[in-house]
Amino acid sequence: MNYQHKELAQGKWFQFSFIEQMAHIGSEVNRAINWREKNREYSIKATERALELIDLTIIDPKNKRRLKELVRLREVLVDYFYFDNQYGSSDELWQSYFYPFFYAARKGK
């Protein structure tokens, strides 16, 4: 697989805590949201990076017990950005979902 985050894919991603991983994913989702109206290409690239980070989080052995949530997160995110949004997601929902991870990651440093 050709990763955009090559260094992270080589193992560095697995050194982050789950909270940090989710905060990084949330940053890419926020970028996708912020660019959607200004530059569609940038929004798509940010979404692709978010999906790549979700995939790395899914294969991280320490997240095995969170697999159901992570796979559902990926499904709903793809639905929101690429399909008909049948789950009824919104920009605000995504921001409120990831905000606790941002807060916890920053508090932990």
Side-chain angles (χ1 to χ4, degrees):
M1 185 169 191
N2 191 12
Y3 288 101
Q4 291 184 47
H5 298 98
K6 291 179 181 21
E7 188 177 329
L8 295 176
Q10 292 172 347
K12 186 175 178 184
W13 186 251
F14 303 139
Q15 295 172 6
F16 291 133
S17 70
F18 177 72
I19 299 293
E20 291 170 319
Q21 290 173 338
M22 292 300 287
H24 284 286
I25 293 167
S27 293
E28 293 295 349
V29 170
N30 267 341
R31 283 188 192 97
I33 290 168
N34 291 335
W35 280 110
R36 191 169 38 206
E37 299 299 322
K38 301 174 199 167
N39 186 321
R40 181 80 178 139
E41 183 181 337
Y42 286 1
S43 177
I44 289 171
K45 288 184 178 191
T47 304
E48 290 172 351
R49 288 191 302 270
L51 293 173
E52 181 179 283
L53 294 177
I54 291 171
D55 291 342
L56 289 171
T57 305
I58 287 171
I59 63 171
D60 187 342
K62 73 174 171 285
N63 298 325
K64 191 174 183 177
R65 63 187 170 93
R66 298 179 173 107
L67 188 58
K68 186 175 179 181
E69 178 181 357
L70 292 168
V71 173
R72 181 56 57 102
L73 168 65
R74 191 183 200 291
E75 177 184 351
V76 177
L77 193 66
V78 167
D79 173 61
Y80 185 64
F81 283 102
Y82 295 118
F83 293 101
D84 298 330
N85 192 22
Q86 72 179 33
Y87 296 105
S89 302
S90 65
D91 293 350
E92 294 77 22
L93 180 140
W94 288 112
Q95 290 163 339
S96 66
Y97 177 80
F98 284 108
Y99 181 79
F101 295 109
F102 298 142
Y103 180 79
R106 297 215 20 111
K107 190 175 179 180
K109 290 189 175 189

